[in-house]
Amino acid sequence: NPIRIEFPGLLAVYGVGRTVLQAMSDTPFFSVIIPSYNHARYVCEAIDSVLDQTFSDFEIIVVDDGSTDHTRQAVQAYEHPAIHYIYQDNKGLPGARNTGIRHARGQWIALLDADDLWHRERLAHIAEHIRRHPEFKVFGSPSPETPRLPDSLPSHPPVEELTVRNFLFKSPFSPSSVVIEKSCFDVVGPFTESLKSIEDRDMWLRLATRFRILLIQSDNWQYRLHDAQMSANCPRMLKYYKIVLRDFFRNNPEYRRLKRPAFSFLYRDAGICFIGRRKNRLKGIGYLLISGALHPTALPFRGYPRLFRTKMLIRTLLGGRIAGMARRMGATVST
């Protein structure tokens, strides 16, 4: 008679193995969050730049934030298993990002605005830095220095740890360059949906008080300029920038010694925005004067030789009076 041999243990191991593999496939390394509001003309290029990545362990979550253009048709035409489309009534950019994060299954959240692009090696590049620097929970890169993406990325670019001070005095990176371990949001909370601008700076400040952040000096993404960008609205940027700083210093009194210089950089950025966008040059110059009175070194002297000479002339003529004026103006504009 034929001998019958059964392997119940082996079958059990096989079943467990299948379960583990299924669980692994349900947990991508990166969840790429792409919020889009009436950006059908851009969003497909953003998606393509993700699908073209050399690192393939990711999912893409496109959050259509109440678009009235053909965003739905553009995204759903892909029929790609890695792409998940979510439609919601318009809640604004922070609300769209929060929706994407809530639905994300990955360990790391990678943000990408619908009108920006990634270098094809970007996710592989970030994954390698995550492996090298496990103590960091947030990774980002500065705005690109050139309008075109490079052919390849450096294997060992310069890196720098960022602190709260970095985010108070400048904007070291933009959302499309940022990767955050998803568990961080359980600690600092979601993006603040009441903010109609500067919601990213608010999030970076909250993260910087609790986690280590690494800046990677690499042109691994592309920022595309157009008139519909939120950063083109200078008055709104200034309004919400003030709200973010006031909330930060109220909630973090240990940083109060940095309050005046932080507001100085706020008015510096406002001045540059108004002058650069040619919305109201006179108002822009006024904001630069306020910035200089609060903390003169915040003024953009580099590349502005006339501004530097004006500063030195004022200091020569007014002498010690300028210090008193700065204190009085600081008490007025930074409270």
Side-chain angles (χ1 to χ4, degrees):
N1 296 328
I3 299 174
R4 182 179 179 181
I5 303 176
E6 296 183 359
F7 301 96
L10 183 60
L11 291 174
V13 171
Y14 172 72
V16 171
R18 287 189 61 186
T19 302
V20 170
L21 288 174
Q22 182 65 36
M24 289 174 62
S25 65
D26 288 342
T27 309
F29 193 76
F30 292 109
S31 288
V32 182
I33 311 299
I34 306 179
S36 182
Y37 175 66
N38 288 339
H39 273 346
R41 64 188 184 279
Y42 297 115
V43 69
C44 290
E45 292 179 69
I47 293 172
D48 289 342
S49 76
V50 182
L51 294 177
D52 194 40
Q53 292 294 303
T54 58
F55 185 95
S56 60
D57 190 8
F58 61 79
E59 64 174 351
I60 302 173
I61 301 175
V62 180
V63 182
D64 184 349
D65 192 37
S67 297
T68 56
D69 62 3
H70 60 285
T71 294
R72 179 191 296 270
Q73 293 84 349
V75 177
Q76 292 184 338
Y78 277 91
E79 297 183 351
H80 193 287
I83 300 175
H84 311 286
Y85 172 86
I86 300 173
Y87 178 87
Q88 67 179 23
D89 292 336
N90 184 260
K91 297 177 65 176
L93 184 55
R97 288 198 184 115
N98 289 339
T99 296
I101 293 167
R102 283 196 300 272
H103 286 81
R105 296 175 294 120
Q107 179 184 356
W108 292 87
I109 301 297
L111 303 176
L112 174 60
D113 288 346
D115 51 350
D116 292 334
L117 300 171
W118 280 353
H119 190 284
R120 65 189 304 269
E121 298 173 8
R122 171 173 160 72
L123 288 183
H125 198 55
I126 298 297
E128 178 59 23
H129 279 83
I130 290 173
R131 185 191 66 79
R132 292 179 192 167
H133 308 283
E135 68 276 19
F136 289 89
K137 302 300 181 184
V138 184
F139 297 82
S141 295
S143 298
E145 295 183 356
T146 58
R148 298 184 57 133
L149 292 170
D151 292 334
S152 60
L153 299 179
S155 57
H156 289 83
V159 296
E160 173 190 355
E161 180 168 2
L162 301 178
T163 65
V164 168
R165 188 183 184 93
N166 294 109
F167 294 100
L168 287 175
F169 299 158
K170 61 181 178 180
S171 184
F173 47 57
S174 296
S176 292
S177 78
V178 177
V179 170
I180 306 164
E181 189 169 45
K182 188 181 180 184
S183 60
C184 293
F185 295 103
D186 297 331
V187 178
V188 302
F191 284 90
T192 304
E193 297 187 9
S194 61
L195 295 173
K196 305 304 179 186
S197 186
I198 308 293
E199 80 293 332
D200 53 338
R201 185 79 65 93
D202 171 66
M203 176 57 73
W204 312 154
L205 283 169
R206 283 190 278 148
L207 287 167
T209 62
R210 305 296 296 272
F211 302 103
R212 298 183 69 180
I213 301 177
L214 191 69
L215 180 71
I216 305 168
Q217 297 286 352
S218 173
D219 291 341
N220 55 42
W221 67 289
Q222 183 177 352
Y223 184 80
R224 294 193 285 184
L225 292 172
H226 56 84
D227 291 337
Q229 285 173 314
M230 292 174 61
S231 59
N233 191 327
C234 301
R236 184 170 63 182
M237 294 275 287
L238 175 60
K239 173 184 176 180
Y240 288 101
Y241 197 169
K242 288 181 181 178
I243 292 173
V244 167
L245 284 187
R246 287 169 180 163
D247 286 347
F248 175 80
F249 287 111
R250 183 171 56 251
N251 297 326
N252 301 275
E254 65 271 26
Y255 293 102
R256 60 183 176 272
R257 63 185 176 82
L258 301 176
K259 187 174 183 179
R260 272 184 53 193
F263 273 88
S264 177
F265 277 86
L266 177 154
Y267 285 105
R268 185 202 71 163
D269 286 353
I272 293 173
C273 183
F274 277 94
I275 292 173
R277 296 286 179 177
R278 299 181 180 179
K279 300 293 184 182
N280 190 327
R281 288 179 177 268
L282 186 60
K283 183 175 287 188
I285 293 171
Y287 286 137
L288 289 179
L289 290 175
I290 294 174
S291 173
L294 282 168
H295 197 273
T297 57
L299 288 174
F301 298 125
R302 193 177 192 180
Y304 294 82
R306 290 182 181 178
L307 193 59
F308 178 75
R309 289 195 294 268
T310 301
K311 172 207 170 184
M312 298 309 297
L313 177 62
I314 291 173
R315 290 180 68 87
T316 301
L317 293 176
L318 297 181
R321 294 180 183 179
I322 194 170
M325 182 179 70
R327 282 194 296 271
R328 290 191 296 275
M329 190 172 291
T332 302
V333 302
S334 63
T335 56

